[in-house]
Amino acid sequence: MRRLIACIAPLALASCATVQHDRLSQFEAVLAAQDSATAALGQWCSARAIAQPATIRAEPVAGAAIAASPAIRKALGVGAQEPVAYRHVDLICGGTVLSRAHNWYVPSRLTAEMNQRLTTSDAPFGTVVAPLGFHRERGKARHGAAPQCPHDTVLSHSAVLRLPDGRAISTVVECYTPANLR
């Protein structure tokens, strides 16, 4: 019996790894098809029946704000004196955390109403700024955690969100959780 288990166990693990890899590939395809990570997460949440309705909300993560580094300011196309806001949230569908996001954005490039919603509501950034018609300029993507991400991150992305005229409104680091692959 031990020999049988010893023979079957590696096959089961290989099968699990293949399933996880396939789910991750499917998840990456959904993310790549959208300019808004929020829209992609809503679509994923619905397709995987994680919650019904598949509404994504942003819950603030406690902790100190991370100041915009010179590299972030350069990506946003702003000088040292231009205010840059920081938003650190969990993107949640139902009760499931799908992503932890670090978002630096330029308040002067958003409307007053958008800025207010970002500081007073659980609306995700992508939902709030959708009327601006932004597009996503993808940066680094990696399986696993980027430096700002928790250790159990299965996928991390960086991106710059740009207005139709090319000006950046946001740079973001997204840390996708193992819940996306269940």
Side-chain angles (χ1 to χ4, degrees), residues 47-139:
R48 306 286 303 163
I50 295 170
Q52 296 301 332
T55 302
I56 305 297
R57 62 184 175 82
E59 184 173 295
V61 175
I66 299 173
S69 68
I72 288 170
R73 288 183 167 281
K74 182 178 179 183
L76 292 171
V78 298
Q81 302 308 311
E82 177 82 25
V84 174
Y86 174 73
R87 195 170 191 232
H88 185 196
V89 298
D90 284 340
L91 294 175
I92 301 170
C93 188
T96 303
V97 177
L98 300 178
S99 175
R100 180 161 279 184
H102 298 271
N103 186 358
W104 295 266
Y105 63 96
V106 184
S108 66
R109 295 180 183 163
L110 309 180
T111 68
E113 179 187 349
M114 289 175 184
N115 282 304
Q116 182 178 9
R117 283 187 69 201
L118 289 170
T119 58
T120 62
S121 78
D122 66 356
F125 188 85
T127 301
V128 172
V129 302
L132 297 175
F134 69 87
H135 69 276
R136 181 183 189 87
E137 182 179 286
R138 287 163 178 76

Side-chain angles (χ1 to χ4, degrees), residues 150-175:
H151 73 279
D152 65 343
T153 299
V154 296
L155 179 67
S156 54
H157 281 180
S158 64
V160 175
L161 305 184
R162 296 192 180 279
L163 295 169
D165 67 7
R167 291 180 300 149
I169 56 171
S170 168
T171 185
V172 64
V173 174
E174 299 152 340
C175 311

